Amino acid sequence: MTINQRNVQPTLNTFWFFKPGYAQGVFWIVLVSLISNANDILMRFLGTHLASMQIAFFRFFFATLWLLPVMLWNGRASFKTACLPLHLLRALVGFGAVTCWCLGVKLVPLALVSTIALTVPLFVLPMAVLFLKERVVWQRVLATVVGFIGVLIVLVPVDQEIQVTWSGMNYGALILITAAVLFAVSDIFNKKMIAYEPPLTMLFYFALGTSVAGVIPAVWVWQTPTGIELLCLFGLGLGGNLILYCLLKAFAAVDVSALAPYRYLELIFAALFGYLLFGELITLFTLLGAVIIIPSTFAVAYFEIHQSKRAASAPRRLESLSTANPITESQ
């Protein structure tokens, strides 16, 4: 084979779904929704025999195994980190979040699971103000407050046969909201660390640290998995990594703001799979909460994206002004 022949061999970038474009971005974001639902279904299946802490451990243990060859392929530099303590804290928070999520998925319908998954940005905003000293516009604050009203609505117990209640509240939803708060804390760590840590390094140390943190809890509640359960756990670890991979591909294909509405397809898929696989129907309070939460989280994302764009364009405007009128800079 000649050099010219080798040059025309197809690469990954020649395939349609690896090219930039609006349709490609939608393709990847739809995959995110499908994989997220698949992971929730696997967690529910595994939760019939295995404890939540054991599922969380295996989920990150297998995620680490999936990531290790990628890290080795990228060389020793990918293992270097400047903030190991933050990785450890983030791993502990992540283990708690996934453990709560595994437990909550067993107790409530899939549509409610996906509805609560959408609330994470609502919890990130006040934490970003407190811990990162971010400045937010009043529209984002208003959208967050309205979103929290939706959160309170989904906590109302409706179906005693499906949802476990405690003190007049939906116990399963409460556990999932606890997980959402912990995921929001993890996102705060992400915002702080992304400035000086590569995404692959962050992903690997999160998976490794969380699996190490989960060893003792998993042994404490140990139930030997069957062959099918091990296969599902392996798929759960792969699914967790694929979600981030597809997100990165989606954001590389098209602007983030263009994809924001498609994130809510996850709720539609969850309602469909919940009905087909488990005979679940969306309750009135879940539907009402979703009607409030979805526009609120969309508004939060919209204002955050446009605020970031304005912040990014400000230096360019200053540069163009100084170039056009050099005297201004000295003044």
Side-chain angles (χ1 to χ4, degrees):
M1 182 181 293
T2 65
I3 295 177
N4 290 335
Q5 286 175 319
R6 286 198 297 267
N7 288 338
V8 298
Q9 291 300 308
T11 63
L12 286 178
N13 292 331
T14 63
F15 292 108
W16 174 85
F17 37 79
F18 286 109
K19 295 179 180 178
Y22 182 79
Q24 287 85 342
V26 173
F27 168 80
W28 289 110
I29 211 70
V30 169
L31 278 184
V32 169
S33 298
L34 289 171
I35 296 170
S36 297
N37 274 278
N39 271 12
D40 288 339
I41 293 168
L42 287 175
M43 286 183 188
R44 176 170 291 190
F45 167 73
L46 293 165
T48 59
H49 178 227
L50 303 178
S52 299
M53 290 187 289
Q54 191 175 354
I55 297 172
F57 162 72
F58 274 114
R59 179 251 183 268
F60 288 107
F61 174 72
F62 284 124
T64 305
L65 293 184
W66 277 106
L67 284 169
L68 187 57
V70 181
M71 296 290 288
L72 293 172
W73 177 267
N74 283 272
R76 292 182 179 180
S78 60
F79 291 94
K80 293 181 179 179
T81 176
C83 50
L84 188 59
L86 287 179
H87 281 298
L88 294 175
L89 287 174
R90 184 166 160 258
L92 290 173
V93 171
F95 180 75
V98 174
T99 298
C100 290
W101 197 260
C102 292
L103 180 58
V105 165
K106 297 187 295 184
L107 301 176
V108 302
L110 289 180
L112 181 54
V113 172
S114 293
T115 300
I116 295 176
L118 299 175
T119 66
V120 174
L122 302 178
F123 295 104
V124 169
L125 187 140
M127 291 181 188
V129 173
L130 289 174
F131 300 113
L132 301 180
K133 307 302 180 183
E134 289 187 2
R135 298 182 62 182
V136 296
V137 295
W138 67 268
Q139 294 96 329
R140 288 176 66 191
V141 175
L142 178 61
T144 302
V145 171
V146 173
F148 279 127
I149 295 174
V151 171
L152 293 175
I153 290 174
V154 300
L155 285 173
V156 177
V158 178
D159 189 342
Q160 298 290 338
E161 294 182 359
I162 296 178
Q163 302 169 5
V164 183
T165 59
W166 176 72
S167 299
M169 300 184 74
N170 185 327
Y171 180 48
L174 194 60
I175 292 175
L176 289 172
I177 289 175
T178 302
V181 172
L182 293 175
F183 280 128
V185 174
S186 181
D187 280 351
I188 294 298
F189 281 115
N190 293 341
K191 284 175 175 281
K192 190 174 182 65
M193 296 166 64
I194 194 64
Y196 43 88
E197 285 285 280
L200 180 61
T201 302
M202 291 178 61
L203 183 60
F204 175 76
Y205 279 110
F206 181 67
L208 177 63
T210 308
S211 58
V212 171
V215 170
I216 294 177
V219 172
W220 184 44
V221 295
W222 185 264
Q223 292 285 336
T224 303
T226 65
I228 295 295
E229 288 169 342
L230 275 175
L231 185 62
C232 291
L233 289 165
F234 196 65
L236 195 62
L238 174 62
N241 291 337
L242 283 177
I243 288 173
L244 180 60
Y245 176 81
C246 293
L247 272 175
L248 294 175
K249 284 295 181 183
F251 296 155
V254 71
D255 190 74
V256 176
S257 59
L259 297 175
Y262 294 95
R263 296 298 303 272
Y264 305 105
L265 287 174
E266 185 175 340
L267 178 57
I268 298 175
F269 290 140
L272 178 62
F273 292 140
Y275 176 74
L276 294 177
L277 298 177
F278 307 106
E280 298 170 349
L281 296 175
I282 299 181
T283 63
L284 176 62
F285 283 95
T286 298
L287 183 60
L288 182 59
V291 167
I292 296 175
I293 290 171
I294 288 176
S296 301
T297 55
F298 180 79
V300 169
Y302 174 83
F303 289 117
E304 183 173 359
I305 290 168
H306 283 265
Q307 187 175 17
S308 299
K309 285 183 176 180
R310 285 194 296 269
S313 62
R316 290 196 295 269
R317 289 198 300 270
L318 289 174
E319 183 180 356
S320 63
L321 286 173
S322 62
T323 304
N325 185 8
I327 300 177
T328 307
E329 188 176 8
S330 61
Q331 292 174 338

